[in-house]
Amino acid sequence: MSEQIERIKTLIIGSGPAGYTAAIYASRADLKPVMYTGMEPGGQLTTTTEVDNFPGYPDGIDGPTMMVQLQKQAERFGTEVRIGMVTSVDLSDEVGGIHKVTVDNDQVIEAESIIISTGASAKYLNIPSEQRLRGGGVSACAVCDGFFYKGQEVAIVGAGDTAAEEASYLANICKKVTMLVRKDYMRASKAMQHRVNSLENIEVRYNTEVDEVLGEQVVEGLRMVNNVTGEKEDIAITGLFIAIGHKPNTDIFKGQLDMDETGYIITEGKSTKTNKPGVFASGDVQDKEYRQAVTAAGTGCMAALDAERYLASVGSTEEVTANS
Ligand SMILES: Cc1cc2nc3c(=O)[nH]c(=O)nc-3n(C[C@H](O)[C@H](O)[C@H](O)COP(=O)(O)OP(=O)(O)OC[C@H]3O[C@@H](n4cnc5c(N)ncnc54)[C@H](O)[C@@H]3O)c2cc1C
């Protein structure tokens, strides 16, 4: 364990759109933020080629480029971006208390305020052909990528409300949607099932799983397998959407922060405040409803403003005191 303890005003955990937007606002407000990027610098958008719906990019932009630009913007105002993973936290219950954070199981940092933007990771099937074609027609976000398959035939895997919602969304854009449901029933609410069943261009295949995604560089088809009969069937599709859930990256906060039953951090009212004074949450880690880059960025802005007000209210005027 390192001997030196660094004290900072604002620690930002996570480097997606929420973290970088928080960083831009926090650094402009002179909160001297330090950001730890985690295992996926730039966040989820670095796994996608085309972002068409973020305001301000009339011709679209590829995800990794957008995230580099956000980083440069945050650094321009003094954000210190560090590669590292927060591995544990000890959050204070006191107003004006100091939170202790350990990075990479080694370095301890003391922070007067923390903005958590650790996101939520989409779950995948984890079969080799699906992993190989991620970004080449396999996507975990219908609202983000459905548009690219306008008028085409696609498939979606999942049986819950999100899968049903995304299948309906795709049905409005695509020629045909094949929905693969592993069991002989859907988990989605009756209302969502009714919506799916009322759309003529959605075909629901029960007891059906993905055997293999077909195609070398891009998705060209899907080999489905009936898990009761073992029968396999190929269909031609250009896009495969995986809608089997998300896992919020909140394990390190368990037992300290209030969370819902699926592990999303609960924030107070319209704010980004958590149940610990000086600890704020923004982006997908506290939002299982919208999960978009622009909404994550919006709450990142809110978290920085909330942190700024909190620090002012507890009388923080300290300069950064490294190695105290
Ligand atoms: C394939 C795909 C395509 C998408 N396309 C679009 C699109 O076109 N438009 C759109 O609006 N949205 C799109 N999205 C959704 C969008 O990417 C997310 O809504 C957005 O990235 C959420 O931002 P975030 O900052 O909350 O979290 P994320 O982007 O998930 O970032 C989380 C960050 O936290 C870090 N982290 C996690 N744990 C730790 C830790 N312990 N210590 C330090 N850091 C940690 C990670 O390394 C990462 O940097 C897409 C998502 C996917 C998967």
Side-chain angles (χ1 to χ4, degrees), residues 211-232:
D211 187 56
E212 192 183 343
V213 192
L214 307 172
E216 280 306 314
Q217 306 297 324
V218 292
V219 172
E220 291 168 7
L222 185 67
R223 180 159 300 144
M224 305 182 293
V225 58
N226 184 304
N227 57 28
V228 176
T229 63
E231 201 176 313
K232 294 186 182 178

Side-chain angles (χ1 to χ4, degrees), residues 14-15 17-18 37-40 44 53 86 118 144 283-284 291-293:
S15 55
T37 61
M39 66 296 182
E40 192 174 51
Q44 289 176 64
N53 53 11
V86 171
T118 49
C144 313
D284 286 10
R291 284 195 295 244
Q292 291 293 289

Side-chain angles (χ1 to χ4, degrees), residues 100-121:
K100 285 193 178 151
V101 166
T102 305
V103 178
D104 293 333
N105 290 313
D106 173 42
Q107 189 193 357
V108 176
I109 291 180
E110 294 183 340
E112 294 175 39
S113 64
I114 297 181
I115 295 173
I116 300 169
S117 324
T118 49
S121 306

Side-chain angles (χ1 to χ4, degrees), residues 124 127-140 148-149 152-157 210 212-223 234-242:
Y124 285 88
I127 57 173
S129 55
E130 175 219 45
Q131 293 298 304
R132 183 166 48 80
L133 290 164
R134 265 175 71 173
V138 173
S139 170
F148 302 119
Y149 303 92
Q152 301 174 36
E153 300 202 6
V154 300
I156 184 164
V157 181
V210 174
E212 192 183 343
V213 192
L214 307 172
E216 280 306 314
Q217 306 297 324
V218 292
V219 172
E220 291 168 7
L222 185 67
R223 180 159 300 144
D234 290 358
I235 55 169
I237 54 161
T238 49
L240 175 66
F241 293 89
I242 311 295

Side-chain angles (χ1 to χ4, degrees), residues 12-20 36-45 47-48 50-54 67 84-87 117-122 124 134 138-141 143-145 148 246 249 252-253 282-285 290-297:
I12 298 173
I13 312 178
S15 55
Y20 275 124
Y36 278 93
T37 61
M39 66 296 182
E40 192 174 51
Q44 289 176 64
L45 282 186
T47 67
T48 189
E50 195 76 31
V51 180
D52 251 357
N53 53 11
F54 199 88
M67 295 317 299
M85 186 83 185
V86 171
T87 43
S117 324
T118 49
S121 306
Y124 285 88
R134 265 175 71 173
V138 173
S139 170
C141 184
V143 177
C144 313
D145 295 334
F148 302 119
H246 283 76
N249 300 314
I252 52 171
F253 308 108
S282 61
D284 286 10
V285 74
Y290 300 106
R291 284 195 295 244
Q292 291 293 289
V294 70
T295 49

